[in-house]
Amino acid sequence: MVFGGIISSPRSSLSAQQSLEMANAYLENATKATDPDIMLVYCHDIEVSLSQAKKGTNHDVPTVREGIAAAYIDLGRLLQGRGHNREAQASFKKAEKLGGNVNLAQQSAPSSRPSSIAPSIKSSIQPTPSTRAATPSQPPSNQYKPASDIATVPQEIFPVNLRPPSIAFNPPEPDTRLDDTPQLASCLGLLQTDQSPDDITDHAARNWLQVTKNDEDEKERLKTLATDVVRAFKRDELKDASAVTEVVHLASVLAVDDYRYLVREFYSGIDQSGLLDIHQLEGLARLTQEAEPGYLEADDLVKILELLSSRLQETHIQSSNHVYKLTLAVSHVLDAMADASVKDLDRKTLHEPLSLYLDGLRKSADSYLVYQAAYAFQALLCVPDDETLWQKAFRRTGKVIKGVSGLVSAVKGLDLNGFMDGLIDIQKGMAGVSEIYGVVKSAYEGVTSLAESGQGFFDSLNEGLTFHRQCAWYSALRGADSLLREGQFANFRVLVCEAPCRRDPAFQWGICQRLGEIAANTAWDSDTRQDAVAFLGEIYQHDTVWGDQISVKQWILSILMQLCSLPEMDYANALLQSFAQNKDAKKQELFKVSIKDGPGHHPMRIALPPLASPSLLDRVQNRPDVEGNLRLLRRHRSKEKGSTVFIPPQAKASIQSPDDTRFPLMEKVREFLDGDQTVFLLLGESGAGKSTFNSELESQLWQEYKGKTGVIPLHINLPGIEKPEHDMIAKQLRKSEFTEPEIRELKLRRKFILICDGYDESQQTHNLYVSNRLNEPGNWQAKMIVSCRNEYLGIDYRDRFQPGDRNNRTELGQFQEAVITPFSPDQVEDYINQYVIVQQPIWEASEYKRALHLIPSLMDLVKNPFLMTLSLEVLPRIVDPGQNLSTTQVSRVSLYDQFIVHWLERGKKRLGEKELSPLAKAAFESLIDEGFTQNGIDFLKKLAVAIYKEQGGQPVVRYSRFKDEKTWKTAFFSREDEKQLLREACPLTRSGNQHRFIHRSLLEYGLSLAVFDPRDWKDKSGPQQVSQRRGSTSSSFSFRIDGTAEVAPAPVDLKPDANSPLAWRYFLNDPSVIQFLSERAQQEPVFKQQLYQYIELSKKEEVWRRAAANAITILVRAGEQFNGADLRGIRIPGADLSNGMFDSAQFEGADLRQTTLRGAWLRQADLSKAKMTSAQFGELPFISMKAEVSSCAYSPDGKALAVGLCNNEIILYSTSTWEILRPLTGHTKGVRNVVYSPKGDHIASGSSDTTARIWDVDAGSTLHELSGHEGPINQVAYSPQGDMVASASDDKTVRIWNFETGDCCLTLSGHEATVKSVMYSPKGNVVASGGDDSTARLWDVTTGDCIRILKGDHRQTFSLTFSPIGDILAVASDSDVVLWDVATGTKGLTLSGHPGMVVESLSYSPQGNLIASASSDSTVRLWDTENGTCLHSFTGHSSGTTSVVFAPKENRLATGGRDKKVRLWDVRAVSSHNVSVGPSDEALEIKYSPQSDQIATRNSDDTIRLWNTGSGSCLRISKGHDGAITSIVFSPHGDLLVSASTDSTLKSWDTETGKNLATFTGHSEGVNVVAFSHQNGQVASGSKDHTVRLWNTETGDCTHTLAGHTDSVVSIAYSPQGHQLASASEDKTVRLWKTENSDCQHTLTGHTDKVVCVVYSPEREQVASASLDFTVKLWDATTGDCSRTFSGVNSDNPRIVYSPQGHQVHFTIQDSAEARLWNVDTGECSAVLTGHSYEVVSAAYSPKGHLIATGSRDNSMRVWDVTSGQCRAVVSDFNSSVRKIVWYASSEVDYLVTACHAGSVRLWRVVEDENSCRVHLCWSSRAFGLTATNASVQDVHGLSLANKQLLKQLGAIGEPAVRLREATKKLIGVMSLASKLKQPSVKTIASPTPSTVAPAIEQSEQVVDK
């Protein structure tokens, strides 16, 4: 690296006395200056002169020392008087050091500046942008009086002088290899500088210099390296531009002998080369420019000039480019000769020939060459002539001193005032100067091209600016160069505008060239570059100021065209475009001609070529060439990527984030790469496109790779690396054939972007960032992007990826994550379009889009990119022309089936077209004869099995021919022809000796195919029957329940396969395999039977237990329900039964060890004598309280829990035994809040009795009663020190109390309503409060001042809490949680998930990464504080949840609710992904088919679902309508379903296929209701358009329109006989219509509000209507008379139910938990059904009418005897209100269908006998949490105490067996339950062993349950 200090040669040679005199002269001028900027310029020159004086003085001479001190004092006074106090103090301090008697301040050092324009080697190496914080600068005006004819440019162009672009200095350690030659130059430059260490501004450079200047060995080593580089250059045969650049970097710091050696080498190279070597020519020119005094003698320069002159004349007939380069080099040499005062050139042999030659170039047609020749001629004229002192000064201005640029204080060398005077003197000395501008002709007359205007340009030189005298423009340009090297742009602007030669075309030409080079030089900041372009625009546009020379204008256009080709040059392009709009016709013509000519062939001098790799220094240091191998790696990776379809993926912040929070993934990753974070975790489901994205990212990064200075993108396929947890980068590089020296070089010198693909596939559990010690000193420097399938992760997965020690992780900001979201419809369309272009399939894009739109559920599948690829591959195969696509069923596994066949057939075709050897051809034909595709499938299955069996599922197989010759790998990867052919045809890929499937999911599919392949059963089975329904009486298995009839399957050989993968591996941690198999079970009855048989066999033989565990896991995941199943004695240890349905199932004696039963439905299940050691239920026991729970608080050590109750009590519990420690009593009203003191020895409580209390925990007594509030106290809080207590009250205040005295210290007033919450910050200096005035306030606890008000878009603040470090305040605002930045008061994340229900309590986890919210919606939600996503929702409370608190040391939550329970939750049991458990949308309407085989539901997501009553399988009918679906009805035969919608239409659907048959149009507004006539198949509809329409379902025609209502028709009903139709309207009437002729028979009036329901009696001529006027009326259908009116009807749910005989009616009563049955004849209440605890909202009579079922908001259903009113059965295991009940009969069995508010649809079988009525669950659409009501746990073995208590609380009956050790514990009185309450964390990544669960199970078998 080169550093260049700017110092003038004359000044450095002055004595100390002379420098002092110069400083005093500057001081006098500064004192007189009125312009503050000019004054500062002088002050800077004073500083420089005084610094020079100090260096040259002998401090023993007191007069000089005193003079310097006095000057510093005068300077300080001047600065102080002008308001620059800091600078003044610095001067005073310097004076004091020299003995001056002043008070001084601290010294500060000014900055410096390197050279810049046409950037020399010194300024072009690794610059960083400069800033405009610069040196002030207008030129001094007191000495130079400019002429009146001066130019002006806008002041915003180059407004200030700038600091130089600095370059970072990376100091090397002693005796270590250097990074590059610029670093070597930097080191040598620092060592050679005579600057004081205090003048070194770079901290690293200063420290390095202080250490190294005394290390003689290191200094000698560095000098030797420089010498060796020069010698290496001599040996280099090519000496290309990069090599020349490298040695020129060293020129200014070389020893004189090395420098002259290098000059000789360049000289010889040019002299001896037959063809002109341009690179060496430019190198020689630069060496000459950079020569230090004494390095080149006058004779040296003369010889160089002779050589160049000779080559110049020899090259005359060659290209103009060579002539131009030579002329440019001559100019540099002549400049150097002028600087060195070389005189007396031999006029005969050198001066005259060169003059004549340069003069001859005037006739050139090349304007560039003409200008350069003129410049060289001017330089030549300066060589023999005597020069003035100022000329010498400015010529040496900007020369570097030993290469130290940017690190030392600047030394200004150009006196602008004297320089301008000198220019005037030169100008005056020119003959005819006053006539120059009049002689030049108008530039716009006869516009020609720039190339042809050379003569015109030269004419202007002849006409006044001759070659034969010195001209001011040459000197002015050299002065401009000096200013630009120093960065004095403001002074440069003044020079250009005020120079007497400013209208000289040669001067303008040179200035434009320099402006162009500034604009193109990225070392300068954007503003400076833009100013240079703007300056060019000024010269081009303002002819009156700058003249109208055509060559100058065309040169400007050429420069701008060159600039436009550079990046980030929009402003140059914009300026050029503005020129195109110029209305001046002449300039328009000029512009057109110039644009047509183009930018010219002489590029601007901007930057030197980059260094070679390896560089000369690398060779000297024996550094390996890594760039060559990196280029090979880049090409290899590009080839591997190939041409693929890439759609930029969208992502979301976390797994639980909603998909509507998506963002472009590539942008997010780019932000990560540009920022300070180090690890980026990329998640996504299998096939989401993670690998494709990684490949695209790598490709883009390689394209942007910058060579030696660039960051290297390295793709690492983790499964392909052995033990990637250790040194994975080196292992990957070795795979890419990098040598060990190259790897060491990369580790030591380079940075990486690691793209680690397949974390889950590599079966990793290590934190790769930590284990590879990335970014630690001496280790690999890298950022890491790592991808993983999200289904393999648990809740604590971030610990595996975040940098740092998991126990001491402070840099949480170093980690970022994103989850790829499914394709959006637009992305799907884009993918199809690209796929058709790239792959050119037989289908058009429109055909694919049509298929995706019409095939049910296919659009959902193709949102996964890999499944999209599979779908597009196979759709043309599976869809026949003319096929009805709406009936085509496609699943994930069926796509893979077709894809594999398609791939193999394509491989077969490819092999058939390939030139095969005779042996290979014979093998190929043999494979074809046997069935090539089937052989390929068998090969794939066997390989998948082998990979799982031999490698535990690790997907990459490494095969070495000799090493693995006798292993299992030979069967697949040997060189046998058949094996090679099958490998080539199968979806496998190979990289070196590594083989793998092209996608991980294909390996998993292959294994699932090995478990069950439908093709294997095709020949064995007879004609396929319909899929079996659950509950088949024909089942041959004892565990199948009896019930509905179904067709028996065809007889097949069901002999179990002991070699099946199900029998030797647990697949519980292979979710993708389980998914394939569960889909297969749904589609293949044979496979389902086989799975059942495995379960059955496990009863008899233990060997089948693993297969049985897998089988039941698959069946549960497939949706199979085991309600009533006989599972006695089954062995399924380790099975995952989560969300399984086992109502009334018999598990007696079953082996259920280590089973997962999270969310399982075990109602009435018989678990007696089962083994349940380590069974996981996912929940902890709860505590039942006497009253509603208002508050919970853990003690600081977590050993106690305080519970505040609404009955005035506080109860303290031990968390180890959950026994009551003691109650705290004293409050006279309900306790609203409790909190422990920081030490845990006291408790504070707030109460509705307006007091707060301080309690002694040990004594259980009150220490202080804090009185003073005028309203209930809602919350109390301790200060972190425990010395203060804050309380929040309904009286709108917060009070601060002294803990010791109980006195009120402070009252915080400001809230305008009730204050609900208060909390101390962790530091204790701030109190936060929130209330009903919609604000949260922050208070200074010392002054009581409100320091900030946080106000959002909410009404109330119920709770708030600080994060553990106090930077965030979480505020419960209505139904949301808002996170506020405490320091700034800005609103951060909003956590929304409790819609419409208030959040009553908040708690941060101890680590601060989670926050829990408790809501009145009865749920507790767990949030990720980093991205605001909901991780989990805890359900279990049956009423509002009022309190939530994290345990201080465990992953546990305690919650309290209005249901009088405290529940405990294990946060570790929360899965990071949600398992689908069926549709969750509420069923708004239920209808059952007249054939009793189907149930139809209208759902809140505007879909219709058809449920098979036997199996519970669902056929989802997509929306279909354009509006909400409002009503559905079956046809009398059940073959049709008709739906009504707000889109004004009706639609009919085929109930077998779900196909839309017809659409009925005619209504002008939305249709509210539809009804089918049971007599004639007629359909009626009621609409908002006030009409009822009758429709013919066969034709779709509207047969009648019934008009008469004056408002919306909301309910209609046909009479049982079908002759009459009743309609109810919001016009408060009911109308009765004849269906025969559509006449209105009666209008029934009497209701006083909207009539919303009408229904016929099943046996009588009677109509009942319900209204929002709280009444039900009974009407005579014949006469229209009202016979009865019943009051008190529920207006929210006014529904009427008749008994089957019609003699009773039921309707819901407003706010009543009772159900009443009314006699329609007498109007009297026949029965009052009492038992529900909340409002009854639904009811249905049994088909016989002797029973009625009611549903309630108490989440239960009851079955009653109609006659006696006795409750016959209770089902209380619903998790929400039972909104809908339908009762129907099938054969001799009665069934109930229920629908809950939470979304479940359930079918129940009602079994009656004389003494009992039992309700058994047949199936449920989804699971809703763990249920164990009436489950028998008698003599169950192995249950932990926690699980025993949990099951008992859930309603289980019986006593489990007691282990011997538990009995012993009871006897000694020790019941340590705390550890029992903790459940094992969820396993997330399968281990490499074949079985992940078996070892633990086998070990547990040795434990004997006593």
Side-chain angles (χ1 to χ4, degrees), residues 264-275 277 280 311:
R264 286 196 299 272
E265 184 63 30
F266 278 121
Y267 184 96
S268 300
I270 298 172
D271 186 33
Q272 297 174 11
S273 63
L275 299 176
D277 191 324
Q280 294 198 56
R311 294 307 301 260

Side-chain angles (χ1 to χ4, degrees), residues 439-457:
V439 174
V440 179
K441 298 179 181 179
S442 172
Y444 300 114
E445 296 178 2
V447 174
T448 60
S449 70
L450 183 58
E452 295 169 350
S453 68
Q455 188 58 45
F457 174 64

